[in-house]
């Protein structure tokens, strides 16, 4: 069939080849681009600037630019507003396959140039003051310096450099630039006349600076002079010296930055016409005169390490330091001459913007504090806490844990009046320090990786830190597990530690509280030591049970209340999934194994959908596997990543269960329709693996955390939010989640469709609307569901249609799910009150003058039958299902009964309530992917052919020859255009038909 189908397709393409075919292909490409438009990066909580090469100020707009993962953040410090430039690679110093210098239009936030010549990585870049050139310096192994005429995308000059270079600066007249690094200060001269006349790359002329007795120093930063000192060049050494080179490249003079310290680390330099700012250790920034290198003043230091920022509510608290207090080291400084602001980045990943207009009274314009190491997990504080207790945290709060050995509480809602803001950060509300060791708060790679090359990963692996955490459903406790196996419990009201125990021999990988619907208050801890501990949270977290079935690291453990039983599911690196059921015993609650499933791939993460019927697992083979919790059977499998490389390492369902988000080891994030497997959104921006994801309670945002130390807050498209909130409303209205079986596995070409078909539960009253319309093109009115009573027989037949439950096991999918019968209940005593409650004046509704008559109907698999009548209508052919469409105000909410009938009622039935002449049918909408394609094809072809027919009819006169014998103007072109349109539609129909046949 495949060969035959391909032959037919190729014949059709050859016969109907036209420009319109290309438009259809371009549409498919546009669909992929549209996936990235479904999510917008709203807030970045993090900074990854390793030096001055990764910090810049725009004097025209006052914006401060810095990298955060693969995103360039454009910060307005005065307004605390962010804009973002998303890049597929690290923006400041690129490494890896085909590193590139990328140039962006700040106003449009679009890339305007991509310059690729380096092989291993790019350490630093700089614009020439006249904006004609860009100089890029490669990593030490790259050994190349390129000068680009970036608007032409050509290298005009290049040369090799063998030293490790960490900084570059252009002269004020753009005639030369200077590089600095390990025992290296070199002046490179541009011959503008030669570079402009010769098309080929010319050798770059370089001359070393005369270092004298300082030749063995590491020169960490360089800046060319400005104004009357334009001929000078200033450098700082890591040992703490400020040096000045003359226009003859001679080291003219130098001074000590901090003479009172025996060991000084100097990292960054910013030079203006009047001042030189030097960033040093312990949060020190010193100002010198460029004329004679005389010391002027020392700027205020930032917060002390280990500060409880929640208590810093006044500016005086910020500037009061203890004698032995240590501050983070300054790693980058950048001066804005227009605003006279100095932006400083410190190695605890904090950012301060100082107002230095008056050096005798320096003020703080802006400050922020972020994680300084890998962020492992994120938890959203529950919006409705159980047990009727008052929430401990404000609405919209979320928590994150990191290798910097802290748990941090965030709230990015700027309009929340319940928050008690501190003066250090607008978003960070509280830091929970796990011990008094402040060394873990510093990112030592900022100083050790001076050229932007990544440090040895083994170094970061030896660090301690919080690996995972979980908030109790009542919102009172926070459980956290670190990389040494220690379990801690914090009270979120007092933020105090109430438990600290060495629970495991290795790092704790997962923590999970049991949900309120289980009726139990348990905490499960899973570790790399292959053990699961079950603790009783009501009895001071005493140990109930230890499970040791797994033979390797346990990556996830989850609780679920399913079919009246309490389940616990775990998966791990041993490729096993264990399903357990809670049993009551004399010793307490104990879990016994009910199912053990083994797959051929490592299982990295798991989540439970809100219906508590399915477990969603992310796998090493980039697949998402969905298992039925009750019987342990795999119900579905679909691709969990848009890329062809990497591993799915995290999965997360949204609060409504409509979508599942995945993170892949290729650093990309995808959101899939849980039931169809179609990808509805993709996003990227992190420079390291995404280690955690959570949807917010209001379904408006998704929060992601990563190994790059950054937290991203993404705003979801309105249509996604509306779908999730509608589903949540339906679940709440029904009192319990509606359990639905996922659909058939979609065909491969459906994975990137941006239009997805949503499944919802509707409570509707069905009326036959009789007027001048064909049968079955009727309308229904939505009302709420009356209380059901005992079943009633209609027309001598049992009103309950027992449909056999169909479950078809397939590799990667299942067949049709549970189908339930229709139950008709007797009328309630006061039908008039019922009608008035929902429809107002029944006489007005049935006014003959309005040509409206309402007749109750019943349903069967064969068609629709009027109650008490013999009229019978067969079911319509398959058509596409649409959402509820509004009718007139008097009719409340009206929809097409024909569309609802075929797609909803035949899939799942609920209770049909009969109240006098009112029928109420609660239906569960579960559309089928294959039918959607048929419906779409039928609808599109029908509409298009009608348009084509109408257009051809209108051309019947205009296309006839005129009396002069000439064809009418434009008639032939319009006919050709319509024929091309017809051809494209025909091709689309045939291809879909063939694809459907191949799938079946």
């Amino acid at each position: 069939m495949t060969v035959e189908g391909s032959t037919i397709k190729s014949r059709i393409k050859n016969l109907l080849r036209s420009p319109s075919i290309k438009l259809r292909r371009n549409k498919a490409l546009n669909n992929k681009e549209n996936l990235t438009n479904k999510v917008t990066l709203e807030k970045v909580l993090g900074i990854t600037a390793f030096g001055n090469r990764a910090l810049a100020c725009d004097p025209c707009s006052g914006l401060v630019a810095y990298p955060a993962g693969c995103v360039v953040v454009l910060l307005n410090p005065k307004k605390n507003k962010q804009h973002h430039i998303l890049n597929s690679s690290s923006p400041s110093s690129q490494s890896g396959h085909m590193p590139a210098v990328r140039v962006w239009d700040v106003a449009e936030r679009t890339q305007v140039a991509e310059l690729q010549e380096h092989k291993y990585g790019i350490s630093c870049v700089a614009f020439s003051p006249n904006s004609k050139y860009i100089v890029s310096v490669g990593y030490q192994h790259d050994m190349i310096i390129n000068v680009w005429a970036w608007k032409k995308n050509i290298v005009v000059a290049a040369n090799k450099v063998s030293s490790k270079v960490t900084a570059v600066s252009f002269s004020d007249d753009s005639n030369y630039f200077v590089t600095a690094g390990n025992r290296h200060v070199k002046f490179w001269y541009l011959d503008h006349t030669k570079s402009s006349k010769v098309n080929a790359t010319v050798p770059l002329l370089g001359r070393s600076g005369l270092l004298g007795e300082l030749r063995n120093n590491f020169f960490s930063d360089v800046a060319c002079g400005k104004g009357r000192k334009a001929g000078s060049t200033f450098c700082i050494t890591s040992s703490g010296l400020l040096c000045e080179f003359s226009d003859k490249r001679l080291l003219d003079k130098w001074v000590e930055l901090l003479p009172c310290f025996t060991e000084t680390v100097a990292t960054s330099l910013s030079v203006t016409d009047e001042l030189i700012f030097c960033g040093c250790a312990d949060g020190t920034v010193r100002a010198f005169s460029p004329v004679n290198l005389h010391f002027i003043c020392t700027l205020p230091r930032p917060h002390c390490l280990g500060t409880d920022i929640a208590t810093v509510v006044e500016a005086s608290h910020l500037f009061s330091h203890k004698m032995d207090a240590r501050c983070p080291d300054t790693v980058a400084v950048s001066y804005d001459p227009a605003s006279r602001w100095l932006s400083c980045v410190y190695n605890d990943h904090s950012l301060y913007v100082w107002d230095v207009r008056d050096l005798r009274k320096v003020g703080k314009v802006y400050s922020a504090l972020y994680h300084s190491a890998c962020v492992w997990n994120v938890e959203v504080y529950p919006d409705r806490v159980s047990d009727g207790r008052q929430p401990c945290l404000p609405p919209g709060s979320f928590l994150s844990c990191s290798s910097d050995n802290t748990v941090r509480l965030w709230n990015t809602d700027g309009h929340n009046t319940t928050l008690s803001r501190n003066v250090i950060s607008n978003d960070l509300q509280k830091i929970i320090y796990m011990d008094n060791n402040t060394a873990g708060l510093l990112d030592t790679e900022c100083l050790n990786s001076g050229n932007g090359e990544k440090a040895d990963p083994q170094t970061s692996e030896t660090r301690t830190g919080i690996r995972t955490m979980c908030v109790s459903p009542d919102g009172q406790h926070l459980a956290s597990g670190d990389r040494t196996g220690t379990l801690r419990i914090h009270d979120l009201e007092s933020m105090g530690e109430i438990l600290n125990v060495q629970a495991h021999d290795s790092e704790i990988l997962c923590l999970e509280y049991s949900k309120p619907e289980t009726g139990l208050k348990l905490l499960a801890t899973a570790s790399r030591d292959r053990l699961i501990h079950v603790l009783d949270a009501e009895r001071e977290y005493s140990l109930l049970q230890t499970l040791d079935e797994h033979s390797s690291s346990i990556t996830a453990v989850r609780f679920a209340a399913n079919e009246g039983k309490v389940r616990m599911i775990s998966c791990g690196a041993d490729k096993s999934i264990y399903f357990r059921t809670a049993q009551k015993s004399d010793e307490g609650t104990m879990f016994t194994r009910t199912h053990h499933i083994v797959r051929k791939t490592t299982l990295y993460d798991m989540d439970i959908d809100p219906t508590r019927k399915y477990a969603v697992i992310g796998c090493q083979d980039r697949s998402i596997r969905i298992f039925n919790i009750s019987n342990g059977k795999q119900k579905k499998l679909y691709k969990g990543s848009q890329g062809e490389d990497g591993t799915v390492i995290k999965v997360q369902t949204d609060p409504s269960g409509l979508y599942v988000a995945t993170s892949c080891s290729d650093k990309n994030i995808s959101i899939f329709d849980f039931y169809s497997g179609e990808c509805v959104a993709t996003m990227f921006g992190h420079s390291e693996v995404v280690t955690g994801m959570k949807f917010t309670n209001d379904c408006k945002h998704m929060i992601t955390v990563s190994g790059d130390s950054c937290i991203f807050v993404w705003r979801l498209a309105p249509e996604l939010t509306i779908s999730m909130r509608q589903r949540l409303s339906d679940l709440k209205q029904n009192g319990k989640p509606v359990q639905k079986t996922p659909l058939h596995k979609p065909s491969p070409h459906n994975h990137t469709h941006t239009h997805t078909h949503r499944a919802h539960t509707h409570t509707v009253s069905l009326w036959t609307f009789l007027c001048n319309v064909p049968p079955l093109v009727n309308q229904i009115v939505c009302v709420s569901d009356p209380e059901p009573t005992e079943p009633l027989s209609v027309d001598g037949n049992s009103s309950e249609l027992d449909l056999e439950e169909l479950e078809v096991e397939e590799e990667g999918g299942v067949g049709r799910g549970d189908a339930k019968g229709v139950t008709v209940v007797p009328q309630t005593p006061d039908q008039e009150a019922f009608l008035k409650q929902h429809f107002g004046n029944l006489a007005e509704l049935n006014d003959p003058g309005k040509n409206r008559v309402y007749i109750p109907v019943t349903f069967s698999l064969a068609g629709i039958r009027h109650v008490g009548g013999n009229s019978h209508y067969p079911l319509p052919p398959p058509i596409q299902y649409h959402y509820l469409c509004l009718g007139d105000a008097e009719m409340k909410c009206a929809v097409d009964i024909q569309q609802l009938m075929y797609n909803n009622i035949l899939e799942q039935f609920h209770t049909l309530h009969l109240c006098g002449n009112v029928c109420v049918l609660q239906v569960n909408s579960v559309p089928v992917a294959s039918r959607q394609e048929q419906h779409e094809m039928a609808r599109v072809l029908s509409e298009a052919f009608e348009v084509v027919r109408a257009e051809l009819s209108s051309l019947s006169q205009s296309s006839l020859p005129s009396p002069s014998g000439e064809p009418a103007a434009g008639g032939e072109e319009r006919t050709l255009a319509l024929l091309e349109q017809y051809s494209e539609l025909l091709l689309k129909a045939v291809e879909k038909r063939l694809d459907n046949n191949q799938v079946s």
Side-chain angles (χ1 to χ4, degrees):
M1 182 63 199
T2 303
V3 176
E4 181 183 355
S6 300
T7 304
I8 296 175
K9 285 182 183 179
S10 62
R11 289 178 181 175
I12 294 175
K13 288 180 180 179
N14 290 333
L15 290 172
L16 305 177
R17 193 179 302 275
S18 68
S20 59
I21 302 299
K22 296 180 181 179
L23 295 176
R24 186 171 54 84
R25 293 172 182 168
N26 292 337
K27 185 177 179 181
L29 296 175
N30 292 335
N31 284 342
K32 292 184 178 180
E33 295 179 0
N34 289 337
L35 292 177
T36 60
N37 298 330
K38 293 292 184 180
V39 182
T40 304
L41 183 58
E42 185 172 274
K43 189 82 171 181
V44 171
L45 303 174
I47 184 171
T48 54
F50 291 112
N52 263 16
R53 67 192 177 279
L55 181 67
C57 296
D58 179 18
C60 298
S61 62
L63 296 178
V64 178
Y66 58 86
C70 289
V71 173
V72 177
V73 179
L74 305 175
L75 171 70
N76 186 324
K78 197 69 175 178
K79 297 182 179 179
N80 186 27
K81 297 292 184 181
Q82 290 184 356
H83 296 288
H84 310 100
I85 296 175
L86 272 70
N87 190 2
S88 58
S89 301
S90 177
S92 59
S93 57
Q94 297 209 339
S95 61
H97 179 65
M98 295 297 290
V101 177
R102 302 176 191 270
V103 184
W104 302 81
D105 185 305
V106 176
E108 299 294 332
R109 296 197 289 278
T110 57
Q111 181 175 303
V112 295
E114 181 177 0
L115 316 173
Q116 289 184 333
E117 279 294 331
H118 294 279
K119 295 182 179 179
Y120 296 98
I122 302 169
S123 172
C124 46
V125 294
F127 270 106
S128 63
N130 60 13
S131 298
K132 289 184 178 180
Y133 302 109
I134 290 177
V135 59
S136 61
V137 183
Y139 280 175
Q140 187 173 5
H141 298 294
D142 196 274
M143 297 190 301
I144 293 292
I145 294 181
N146 290 323
V147 179
W148 302 83
W150 64 274
K151 294 181 181 179
K152 299 178 182 179
N153 198 5
I154 59 173
V155 179
V156 296
N159 210 328
K160 290 187 176 182
V161 59
S162 58
S163 301
K164 180 179 180 179
V165 177
T166 60
V168 60
S169 177
F170 252 104
S171 66
D172 218 18
D173 58 6
S174 301
N175 286 331
Y176 67 93
F177 61 90
V178 185
T179 56
N182 186 24
R183 296 189 294 179
H184 169 90
V185 175
K186 199 163 188 176
F187 294 73
W188 306 86
Y189 298 92
L190 297 176
D191 189 340
H192 297 283
T193 57
K194 183 181 293 186
S195 61
S196 60
K197 293 180 180 179
V198 181
N199 292 329
T201 302
V202 300
L204 185 61
L205 178 62
R207 293 287 185 266
S208 296
L210 304 178
L211 305 179
E213 59 184 277
L214 299 184
R215 59 184 176 273
N216 291 324
N217 275 266
F218 185 96
F219 294 87
S220 51
D221 205 0
V222 61
C224 294
K226 299 180 183 300
R228 58 179 175 167
K229 298 294 291 185
S232 298
T233 301
F234 301 93
C235 293
I236 56 172
T237 67
S238 60
S239 59
L241 299 177
L242 171 61
C243 311
E244 181 183 352
F245 289 84
S246 67
D247 55 358
K248 302 297 183 183
R249 298 181 285 108
L250 178 66
L251 180 58
D252 198 7
K253 52 181 172 287
W254 68 89
V255 296
E256 292 183 354
L257 294 175
L258 294 170
C260 59
F261 286 84
T262 56
E263 289 187 12
T264 303
V265 176
T267 58
S268 49
L269 184 69
S270 183
V271 176
T272 73
D273 295 348
E274 302 173 350
L275 296 168
I276 300 175
F277 294 100
C278 301
C280 306
D282 201 25
T284 303
V285 177
R286 308 200 85 187
F288 294 82
S289 169
V291 178
N292 50 23
L293 299 189
H294 285 180
F295 169 73
I296 297 177
C297 72
T298 300
L299 270 63
R301 294 194 297 171
H303 59 278
C304 298
L305 294 175
T307 297
D308 183 2
I309 67 167
T311 63
V312 186
V313 294
E314 296 181 6
S316 58
H317 298 163
L318 178 62
F319 299 119
S320 59
H321 295 281
K322 298 179 181 179
M323 291 298 296
D324 58 345
R326 183 187 176 189
C327 294
D329 300 332
T330 313
V331 296
V333 292
S334 182
Y335 182 71
D336 179 358
S339 302
R340 304 191 75 176
W341 292 345
L342 182 72
S343 300
C344 301
V345 177
Y346 304 91
N347 70 339
D348 66 342
H349 288 218
S350 60
L351 170 66
Y352 280 71
V353 180
W354 303 101
D355 187 340
V356 294
R357 274 177 283 193
D358 185 356
L359 292 177
R360 293 170 298 182
K361 190 178 180 181
V362 177
K364 183 178 74 70
V365 180
Y366 173 88
S367 62
L369 177 58
Y370 306 116
H371 279 295
S372 60
C374 171
V375 186
W376 284 108
N377 196 11
V378 60
E379 284 287 324
V380 175
Y381 190 77
D383 57 347
R384 295 182 181 86
V385 297
S386 59
D387 297 341
R389 300 190 182 186
Q390 290 295 322
C392 300
L393 304 181
S397 300
F398 61 93
L399 302 101
S400 59
C401 64
S402 167
S403 287
D404 61 16
N405 219 26
T406 66
V407 172
R408 309 199 181 197
L409 166 64
W410 308 86
N411 195 303
T412 60
D413 185 2
H415 304 289
N416 195 330
T417 58
T418 62
L419 296 177
S420 56
R421 303 285 183 181
N422 59 82
V423 299
I424 295 181
S425 175
N426 293 297
D427 304 305
L428 182 60
Q429 304 301 309
K430 177 73 176 179
I431 302 178
I432 302 176
Y433 300 96
M434 297 302 160
D435 54 36
N436 296 323
N437 183 12
T438 60
L441 300 174
L442 300 177
D443 185 358
T444 56
E445 294 180 11
C446 289
L447 302 177
N448 296 336
S449 301
N451 67 339
E453 297 185 51
K454 293 183 180 180
D456 184 0
Q458 295 299 324
T459 304
S460 60
E461 283 298 317
T462 59
R463 300 183 63 177
T464 59
I466 307 302
R467 184 64 172 79
T468 184
M469 63 179 177
C470 188
V471 178
S472 62
D474 59 10
Q476 302 299 309
H477 289 174
L478 170 70
S480 62
D482 68 14
R483 303 183 70 178
T484 63
T486 302
L487 171 67
R488 296 178 177 87
I489 307 295
H490 282 81
D491 184 284
L492 287 178
E493 186 173 5
S494 65
M495 295 295 173
E497 183 179 280
I498 59 177
L499 179 68
N500 185 317
V501 61
Q502 186 71 29
H504 294 273
D505 295 333
S506 185
E507 66 177 327
I508 300 176
L509 298 178
C510 183
L511 294 170
E512 172 78 356
Y513 276 101
S514 59
K515 302 300 185 290
E517 55 267 18
T518 63
L520 302 173
K521 292 186 178 180
L522 306 177
L523 173 66
T525 70
S527 168
R528 196 177 294 277
D529 64 6
R530 308 187 300 274
L531 298 179
I532 298 176
H533 296 315
V534 182
L535 310 177
D536 190 340
E538 286 187 304
R539 298 183 178 179
E540 299 181 343
Y541 292 90
S542 59
L543 180 64
L544 287 178
Q545 187 179 11
T546 296
L547 302 165
D548 60 355
E549 292 101 331
H550 284 280
S551 60
S552 187
S553 301
I554 302 168
T555 54
V557 59
R558 297 287 183 265
F559 289 105
N562 175 265
E563 295 183 351
K565 300 177 182 178
V566 178
R567 316 276 190 178
M568 183 172 69
I569 310 99
S570 63
C571 63
D574 57 1
K575 307 175 183 178
S576 292
I577 312 168
Y578 287 93
F579 296 84
R580 307 175 184 88
T581 303
Q583 306 286 342
K584 286 288 185 180
S585 65
D586 296 337
E587 292 81 11
T589 302
M590 307 294 286
F591 286 89
T592 58
R593 185 174 67 189
T594 52
H595 303 287
H596 177 205
I597 309 298
V598 179
R599 286 296 177 261
K600 296 181 180 180
T601 182
T602 301
L603 313 171
Y604 280 109
D605 194 26
M606 172 175 54
D607 199 15
I608 305 298
D609 83 307
T611 68
R612 305 187 293 276
K613 187 175 181 180
Y614 299 104
V616 186
I617 299 181
C619 307
Q620 187 180 27
D621 60 0
R622 298 189 307 281
S623 297
I624 298 174
R625 287 176 167 83
I626 299 176
F627 291 84
N628 187 302
I629 294 176
S630 300
N631 54 29
K633 294 182 180 180
Q634 179 176 314
K635 309 302 294 182
K636 191 170 182 61
L637 178 148
Y638 48 76
K639 187 177 178 182
S641 171
Q642 290 296 98
E644 297 301 326
D645 298 316
T647 296
V648 174
I649 59 173
K650 286 292 176 181
V651 294
Q652 183 68 41
T653 59
D654 78 275
S656 71
L658 282 182
Y659 305 106
V660 56
T662 67
S663 73
C664 188
S665 58
D666 63 4
K667 306 165 191 174
N668 287 320
I669 307 163
S670 303
I671 300 178
F672 295 90
D673 186 296
F674 179 75
Y675 294 98
S676 68
E678 295 178 3
C679 182
V680 298
T682 60
M683 61 204 86
F684 64 89
H686 287 288
S687 61
E688 297 295 341
V689 169
V690 176
T691 52
M693 303 175 296
K694 277 292 187 298
F695 289 89
T696 56
N697 298 317
D698 59 6
C699 301
K700 292 182 179 180
H701 298 88
M702 188 172 77
I703 306 168
T704 61
V705 299
S706 167
D708 58 16
S709 78
C710 296
I711 302 172
F712 288 176
V713 180
W714 307 84
R715 186 177 68 253
L716 302 176
E719 56 264 33
L720 301 182
T721 298
I722 291 171
S723 298
M724 288 186 280
R725 298 181 79 164
Q726 177 65 43
R727 176 83 191 285
L728 281 173
S729 176
D730 294 336
L731 297 182
K732 182 180 178 181
Q733 191 176 21
N734 290 340
K736 65 176 182 178
V738 180
Q739 298 182 349
K740 299 190 290 187
T741 303
L743 303 178
H744 292 281
K745 180 179 179 181
S747 56
H749 62 275
N750 284 337
H751 282 300
T752 56
H753 287 178
T754 57
H755 171 75
T756 56
H757 197 75
R758 303 286 174 257
H760 290 285
T761 304
H762 306 285
T763 303
V764 295
S765 271
L766 293 145
W767 299 77
T768 304
F769 176 48
L770 300 179
C771 57
N772 296 325
V773 292
L776 291 182
V777 184
N778 309 316
Q779 295 187 350
I780 63 175
V781 179
C782 289
V783 300
S784 54
D785 202 354
E787 283 294 323
T789 54
E790 295 298 321
L792 176 73
S793 296
V794 178
D795 294 336
N797 298 323
S798 173
S799 60
E800 181 144 350
L801 306 177
D802 294 325
L803 301 180
E804 182 182 0
E805 177 173 311
L806 302 177
E807 291 191 356
V808 183
E809 288 290 338
E810 299 178 6
E811 179 61 32
V814 297
R816 178 173 156 188
D818 302 347
K820 299 181 180 180
V822 177
T823 304
V824 179
V825 300
Q827 61 185 18
T828 58
D830 192 358
Q831 62 173 349
E832 189 66 26
F834 174 77
L835 293 171
K836 286 184 177 180
Q837 176 185 353
H838 297 295
F839 304 110
N841 192 342
L842 184 63
E844 182 179 352
L845 284 176
N846 282 325
D847 185 0
K850 296 183 179 180
N851 296 323
R852 291 192 182 126
V853 180
Y854 295 88
I855 301 175
V857 296
T858 58
F859 303 89
S860 67
L861 290 179
I864 303 175
R865 184 179 300 278
H866 292 287
V867 173
N870 296 321
S871 302
H872 181 271
Y873 303 106
L875 286 173
I879 60 174
Q880 186 184 19
Y881 168 68
H882 294 285
Y883 296 114
L884 295 177
C885 54
L886 292 177
D888 58 79
E890 193 177 37
M891 291 289 292
K892 307 291 184 183
C893 190
V895 299
D896 189 335
I897 192 176
Q898 184 186 24
Q899 296 169 352
L900 184 67
M901 270 294 300
Y902 189 80
N903 293 277
N904 289 347
I905 297 173
L906 288 188
E907 293 304 323
Q908 283 194 340
F909 292 89
H910 280 266
T911 304
L912 179 68
H913 302 286
L914 182 63
C915 178
N917 61 342
V918 181
C919 286
V920 181
L921 177 68
Q922 182 177 336
V923 293
N924 195 14
S925 158
V926 186
V928 180
S930 59
R931 283 181 180 167
Q932 293 177 22
E933 296 175 5
Q934 297 174 10
H935 302 167
E936 174 71 11
M937 181 175 66
R939 185 184 65 82
V940 170
L941 288 176
S942 176
E943 294 178 358
F945 288 161
E946 287 298 326
V947 173
V948 172
R949 185 182 298 108
E951 290 290 335
L952 289 175
S953 298
S954 66
L955 289 175
S956 59
Q957 298 297 326
S958 60
S959 60
L960 292 175
S962 63
S964 60
E966 297 293 333
E972 183 177 354
E973 289 78 3
R974 292 183 64 187
T975 304
L976 276 175
L978 288 168
L979 288 175
E980 286 185 0
Q981 182 182 358
Y982 181 89
S983 301
E984 181 184 0
L985 291 168
L986 180 60
L987 176 61
K988 179 179 179 181
V990 175
E991 284 187 338
K992 282 195 172 184
R993 187 66 172 268
L994 290 171
D995 289 338
N996 291 338
N997 290 340
Q998 291 173 18
V999 171
S1000 60

